[in-house]
Amino acid sequence: MRTDTKPLPLVETACPTTEGELAEVVRRARAEGTPVYPIGGGTALDYGGIPTRPGVGLSLAGLNRVLDYAADDMTITVEPGLTLAELRDTLAPRGQRLPIDVAEPDRMTIGGIAAMNRAGPRRYGCGTMRDYALGLRAVDGEGTAFSAGGQVPKRTAGYHLSRLLVGSLGTLGIITRLTLRIRPRPETSAVAIAEVESFEAAESLLTSLPKSRVAPTALELLAGPVANQWAALGPMRPGGVARMFVGLEGTDDEVAWMVETLRLQWREFPIAASTVISGTGAGPTGDWLLALPADVAIHVLPRDTVKLMGRLFAALPQVSLQADVGNGEIRLHLADRRPEAFARAVRDVLRPTIEPFGGRMVVLHPGDECAALLSPRDLWGPPPAGHAVMRAIKDRFDPQGILNPGRSIFANR
Amino acid sequence: MALPPLISRLRLSVGTKNVLHAPSEVAVYADDPARIGRRRPDAVVFPESPRQVAEIVRACCEYGVHVMARGAGTALPGGCVALGGGVVVVLTRMNRILEVDLPNRMAVVEAGVSAAQLARRLAETGYEYAPDPYGHGASTLGGEVATSAVGRHALRHGLGAATAVGLEVVLADGSIVQLGPVEDPTSFDLLGVLAGSDGTLGIVTKAWLRLTAEPKDPRVLRAVFDSLESAATAVGRIVAAGLMPVVMELIDQGLLAAVENAFECGFPPDAAAILLIEIQGPPVGLDAQQERIGALCREMGAREVLPTASDEVREMLWKCRKQALGTVGRLSPNCLIHDGAVPWSRLSELFRRIAQIGARHGIRIVHLAHAADGGIHPILLFDRRDPRQAGRAAAASREILEACIACGGGMTAGYGVGIEKAALMPRLRGPEDMEAMRNVRGAFDPVGWLSAGKRIASAENRS
């Protein structure tokens, strides 16, 4: 239930322009025991539920500079409020990129993307923010600023603290600076799309892929209404159940070879139809593969992805599914948007269905009414392995529990 | 220290034959490859299951004795030596490959499995475990995860920390936790922080390792340079051009001489430096990559840039490279292997500074660099029997660290931090950074039983 209004219970909003100012905001809040809610692009303020404790909004919009761009060394150091679109504009003239796909690059900020460890279809070939964050600075729940990681790709001595902060949802520290590893932009891209009439057919297609020596950048399987979404493709044929999107990047010659190799290989398979779309505008470098506004993200082992998709597809009418089948991530959009139906689907269908697969699941945008019907366990799942250590880490970095309360498994909303 | 009761307790857990206690028995575990530390543990234990590891940890905690995990003992900077006694837990008996799960691109291994063992098992499957670091053959995979050993493929496939998708760990309180292999967006990245933690946060007993497709037509180029600095500049140019070789190994003349002497690889003895470059990708793209790299090397004065002729030659080249460090013994009785990293654009400058440092202290320095990830290993040669030489080598080593920092890099830990570097940590990290790391360590191990003094020189263990 995505909401466009700011759901946070804020008594005031601060907009610091330096790390020092940001630390001061946190120190003051800590002294009063007031929650601090970091705000990047404002696209995930209801992630996992809406916080209830009134607090201070901490906008990162004032910390949005590019601090150092060492193009020859393939690194860039930025402040967290810089949007991904602004970063792309900085890197493109040098033929470089940060290969992280997001749905709203004009709004989503580097800090927010890092805090959520966001990644899109190119994750399969290129990795996540944890692979690209070489080092960072952050302010902890006591208002103390510290550094983690370094400036060079090889790990510098010390713990991988930057990996701990990335994906910690702003609950251990608020990132004030990030040094990112960047990559060269590929010369060209293409997407090969295969339409299948069953999940078993999708499965056999996937199993065959490694034999082809094609190394895709993205490997997505879409089923349900979302699979019919693109005008350029038209709807699936009658009997079509899912579409596999294989994203390919490289030099012109490499991509041409990969497209041809797949075309030949797919002749052996029960594919109802196949298409290739070429060119940088429409491939994985475009954002249309992220069109699914996901309600829920599910993680299982890669090998179980298609089977689970089949079960979810059968259990939920008109559900839309988009999976990174190489990494075992399924994103899902429910058809029935009524809060009670939504809550029922989460609690009575999704949780039990993923459980035999050892799946982990987060409800991304539950919305007010729906969240009220769900427990933290419904929203975040049972306590994960190692949660005692995570609790201990949280207590040390944020003893007062003021950083983004409610935004994690320690749901003290 | 209440030793005998602890020894009895350990014997109960793992069996009498799996506990070494007599001074003569434990002496060999007082040493490490670089011969940094010479501290004898109080006991050495060989568990065969995670449950036994957990019992050992609990028993040691009860008796107030420190615990340290050890694999094959290949970690160079004193990583495998117990500071101030304690119990060393050797994981090498836990050496079963539990599962090769190709549909999930994973190998599930006990911590004591060696990289060579896994490589043999994966042969013919079309998959490999990409990190493949230079302890290859001897080092255990648990140890490699603990030291975040990277080796080849770092530039393309990512660093060692990214390749364990699951870990089974025994924590300081004796609990056994399995993290992964299903990814968990609700969790902090404990996997990421455990990798490279040198055994200070937990003892890895099992790992789910990410496998990658084996390159079908890898190609190795050999470029011969007349100066180390021009080879280093070529590395910088290759990276800046957006080319991404999976490996770039740089060997200088001093080390080359020893390698040639030992293995007769056919390296030209008058080369000042050799760059070995491995490229991967669809066959149609390799020629273009080779051409561009060749052109960049020649621009920097490379006298020849040749692809290797056959698989055997390629394998031999890599064998020489992997065993290069072992040949250092031909050059001097002792050595100090430094571990640093700088941005590629500063590599040449760093080599220049190191040459000056070596000259100033009268210490001969040879070089091995894993240039694809910007990592360098200056090797300082000396004779320990001459204390002045040893002192000059130590002083030169400290200056080399300063030079790395001056060049925008720092000290790395591809071989683990260990004792040698722990004392230097505050030079790289401010007090708040150290505090943050102590917070992480404290969350895992509040009292400090595991690998005391290894990664962060805590107050009570500085020695």
Side-chain angles (χ1 to χ4, degrees), chain B residues 368-436:
Chain B
L368 174 63
H370 311 316
D373 60 12
I376 62 155
H377 293 302
I379 303 161
L380 290 73
L381 306 174
F382 65 102
D383 187 336
R384 180 200 289 263
R385 293 168 299 189
D386 177 351
R388 284 168 307 169
Q389 249 191 65
R392 294 202 309 269
S397 177
R398 277 190 292 278
E399 280 188 36
I400 288 174
L401 168 62
E402 296 293 341
C404 287
I405 296 171
C407 288
M411 177 174 80
T412 57
Y415 291 131
V417 172
I419 302 169
E420 188 195 22
K421 298 195 180 84
L424 294 172
M425 279 289 288
R427 179 64 189 87
L428 291 169
R429 300 283 178 206
E432 304 82 16
D433 310 341
M434 299 295 288
E435 182 64 21

Side-chain angles (χ1 to χ4, degrees), chain A residues 133-218:
Chain A
L134 293 174
L136 52 83
R137 280 188 63 77
V139 169
D140 69 11
E142 300 279 87
T144 306
F146 65 94
S147 297
Q151 304 276 318
V152 291
K154 189 160 184 190
R155 183 179 66 90
T156 42
Y159 297 134
H160 277 286
L161 274 193
S162 48
R163 292 189 70 104
L164 189 65
L165 269 287
V166 173
S168 64
L169 302 173
T171 59
L172 295 180
I174 300 173
I175 296 168
T176 55
R177 176 188 297 208
L178 268 158
T179 299
L180 301 168
R181 181 164 80 101
I182 53 187
R183 304 268 288 227
R185 271 174 83 109
E187 194 169 80
T188 193
S189 69
V191 185
I193 302 139
E195 198 174 297
V196 293
E197 289 172 345
S198 68
F199 287 102
E200 290 74 24
E203 191 85 78
S204 68
L205 204 59
L206 276 172
T207 314
S208 74
L209 193 57
K211 303 186 182 87
S212 70
R213 295 160 65 174
V214 169
T217 306

